[in-house]
């Protein structure tokens, strides 16, 4: 299976590309390229993929270089559209229309060249932030401008693939965490604990779906194989992998119990007394439990790897480092 994938410098994209390659796919990654101003997380992700994936720089979606990739370096069986315009996705003024235009630039030409080269299927990475995605309380509206942008982009991608008779997969991401993660809840917790602080969780009552990024990546590789090999009449396939569906407070408690002994520091935390969730729905999660489908995934080892990454990233007590010395030597570098 030959794959052309966008968005591999992202947190989830790097892990997905890694698992695709390990599953036997030949992966070519189109990206904007690493630059001096890139943060350490992006450099880490690129290094993780260096020996597994062919990374083609300065080839954003719809660019001349991207179209040349499709025409001259195929044939590609699968086109994985993981890249997205994100920026500050929580911003009130997130420009959904600008993101839509960036992420569907020259999509007609892209799909024409992909199909002409023998392309079989497209996988679009979605999010539970989208309208009409995930489980929750009605109305299932888009969450923020980013959710709206992904909703619109999905419709444009679906239209472009259906016009050319291509199979289409939609892979919905909930709330991932793991090594090389972008700043968010779990990184905030670990950084606070390793600096001796007691973090405050702002929205403890919201019900969300947290999944380890490597389990998510295994689910993605499985879904890619299914979409690629499908010979039935159904043209649109859907996957909504799910991890821990619980309140944010319950997940933080779970996270603290798992990491406390590994980090060797207290993992206390507090909840905001009158947390405001803004326009966020109380419940938004996926509906397909994933762990049982991947017995090769070891949650204990995954937390050990994550603890090693936090210690390397944020530092910590000597006790925490001693506790992980043996485990660290035995772990494959991510």
């Amino acid at each position: 299976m030959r794959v052309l994938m966008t968005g591999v410098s992202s947190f989830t994209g790097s892990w997905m590309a890694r698992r695709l390659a390990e599953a036997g796919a030949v992966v070519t990654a189109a990206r904007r390229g690493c630059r001096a101003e890139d943060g350490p997380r992006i450099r880490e992700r690129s290094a993780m993929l260096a020996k597994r994936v062919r990374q083609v720089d300065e080839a954003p979606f719809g660019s001349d270089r991207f179209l040349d990739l499709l025409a001259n370096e195929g044939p590609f069986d699968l086109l994985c559209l993981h890249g997205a315009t994100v920026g500050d996705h929580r911003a009130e003024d997130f420009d959904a229309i600008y993101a839509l235009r960036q992420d569907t630039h020259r999509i007609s030409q892209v799909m024409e060249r992909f199909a002409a080269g023998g392309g079989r299927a497209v996988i679009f990475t979605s999010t539970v932030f989208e309208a009409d995605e995930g489980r929750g309380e009605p109305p299932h509206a888009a969450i923020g401008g980013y959710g709206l942008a992904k909703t619109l982009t999905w419709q444009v991608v679906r239209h472009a693939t259906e016009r050319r008779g291509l199979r289409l997969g939609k892979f919905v991401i909930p709330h991932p965490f793991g090594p090389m993660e972008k700043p968010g809840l779990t990184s905030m917790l670990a950084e606070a604990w390793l600096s001796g602080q007691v973090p405050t969780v702002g929205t403890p009552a919201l019900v969300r779906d947290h999944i380890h990024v490597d389990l998510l990546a295994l689910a993605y590789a499985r879904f890619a194989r299914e979409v690629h090999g499908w010979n039935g009449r159904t043209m649109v396939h859907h996957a909504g992998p799910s991890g821990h569906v619980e309140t944010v407070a319950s997940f933080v408690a779970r996270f603290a119990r798992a990491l406390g002994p590994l980090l060797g520091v207290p993992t206390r935390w507090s909840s905001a007394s009158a947390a405001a969730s803004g326009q966020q729905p109380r419940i938004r999660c996926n509906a397909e439990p994933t762990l049982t489908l991947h017995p090769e995934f070891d949650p204990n080892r995954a937390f050990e790897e994550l603890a090693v990454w936090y210690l390397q990233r944020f530092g910590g007590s000597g006790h925490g480092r001693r506790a992980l010395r043996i485990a660290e030597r035995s772990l494959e570098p991510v």
Side-chain angles (χ1 to χ4, degrees), residues 19-49:
R19 284 301 187 181
L20 277 174
E22 290 177 351
V26 178
V27 182
T28 299
R31 60 180 194 163
R32 67 170 177 80
C34 287
R35 300 174 184 178
E37 65 269 22
D38 285 338
R41 289 178 175 87
I42 291 180
R43 292 194 293 271
E44 282 180 293
R45 296 165 192 161
S46 181
M48 178 180 74
L49 295 177

Side-chain angles (χ1 to χ4, degrees), residues 20 41 47 52 71 73 88 170 178 180 211 214 241 247 259 262:
L20 277 174
R41 289 178 175 87
R52 297 177 169 96
E73 301 199 29
D88 183 0
K170 187 178 191 184
M180 297 178 291
I211 187 170
D214 197 24
T247 65
L259 279 183
L262 297 170

Side-chain angles (χ1 to χ4, degrees), residues 269-328:
W269 56 281
S270 64
S271 298
S273 56
S277 61
Q279 300 299 314
Q280 295 192 52
R282 189 177 68 87
I283 302 171
R284 185 65 67 92
C285 57
N286 275 338
E288 301 167 18
T290 301
L291 184 57
T292 56
L293 298 176
H294 296 281
E296 71 272 36
F297 177 75
D298 183 346
N300 293 327
R301 182 180 175 86
F303 268 105
E304 287 176 351
E305 290 177 338
L306 182 54
V308 168
W309 187 79
Y310 284 144
L311 286 166
Q312 292 171 342
R313 178 77 179 166
F314 301 125
S317 69
H319 175 69
R321 290 187 180 278
R322 286 194 300 271
L324 278 171
R325 193 168 296 157
I326 296 176
E328 186 173 10

Side-chain angles (χ1 to χ4, degrees), residues 43-334:
R43 292 194 293 271
E44 282 180 293
R45 296 165 192 161
S46 181
M48 178 180 74
L49 295 177
K51 296 181 179 180
R52 297 177 169 96
V53 169
R54 179 168 180 252
Q55 301 180 69
V56 180
D57 290 345
E58 307 303 334
F61 182 82
S63 66
D64 288 342
R65 188 161 171 77
F66 188 88
L67 292 171
D68 288 343
L69 272 176
L70 285 169
N72 303 324
E73 301 199 29
F76 295 104
D77 303 301
L78 197 62
L79 177 58
C80 294
L81 303 182
H82 184 73
T85 301
V86 179
D88 183 0
H89 66 280
R90 296 186 177 89
E92 290 287 335
D93 60 349
F94 184 92
D95 193 336
I97 302 303
Y98 172 79
L100 169 66
R101 288 174 175 164
Q102 291 291 108
D103 298 339
T104 60
H105 178 56
R106 298 165 81 183
I107 192 169
S108 292
Q109 293 97 311
V110 168
M111 294 305 168
E112 284 173 6
R113 291 210 181 176
F114 177 61
R120 304 179 64 181
V122 176
I123 294 181
F124 175 79
T125 300
S126 178
T127 169
V128 290
F129 291 166
E130 279 185 39
D132 305 314
E133 268 305 337
R135 290 191 296 123
E137 299 171 330
H140 294 273
I143 301 177
Y146 176 69
L148 175 60
K150 293 294 287 186
T151 303
L152 298 172
T153 303
W154 159 248
Q155 294 298 334
V156 172
V157 170
R158 181 173 182 174
H159 178 73
T161 56
E162 287 178 342
R163 286 182 60 197
R164 290 158 184 86
L166 296 167
R167 290 196 301 278
L168 177 60
K170 187 178 191 184
F171 187 84
V172 185
I173 294 182
H175 290 74
F177 67 95
M180 297 178 291
E181 65 193 8
K182 60 186 179 181
L185 172 65
T186 45
S187 280
M188 179 274 291
L189 292 169
E191 185 173 13
W193 290 332
L194 286 169
S195 62
Q197 301 175 27
V198 178
T200 299
V201 176
T203 54
L206 296 182
V207 175
R208 293 295 181 261
D209 188 346
H210 294 88
I211 187 170
H212 190 281
V213 69
D214 197 24
L215 180 57
L216 181 76
L218 286 167
Y220 187 86
R222 178 191 180 102
F223 183 62
R225 292 193 299 270
E226 291 173 351
V227 172
H228 172 258
W230 182 253
N231 291 316
R233 294 183 179 180
T234 303
M235 298 301 290
V236 180
H237 307 263
H238 185 280
S242 180
H244 301 292
V245 176
E246 56 195 347
T247 65
V248 172
S250 294
F251 172 74
V252 171
R254 178 194 301 274
F255 194 71
R257 288 193 302 270
L259 279 183
L262 297 170
L263 296 179
V265 296
T267 52
R268 297 185 296 270
W269 56 281
S270 64
S271 298
S273 56
S277 61
Q279 300 299 314
Q280 295 192 52
R282 189 177 68 87
I283 302 171
R284 185 65 67 92
C285 57
N286 275 338
E288 301 167 18
T290 301
L291 184 57
T292 56
L293 298 176
H294 296 281
E296 71 272 36
F297 177 75
D298 183 346
N300 293 327
R301 182 180 175 86
F303 268 105
E304 287 176 351
E305 290 177 338
L306 182 54
V308 168
W309 187 79
Y310 284 144
L311 286 166
Q312 292 171 342
R313 178 77 179 166
F314 301 125
S317 69
H319 175 69
R321 290 187 180 278
R322 286 194 300 271
L324 278 171
R325 193 168 296 157
I326 296 176
E328 186 173 10
R329 285 199 300 269
S330 68
L331 296 178
E332 175 192 0
V334 297

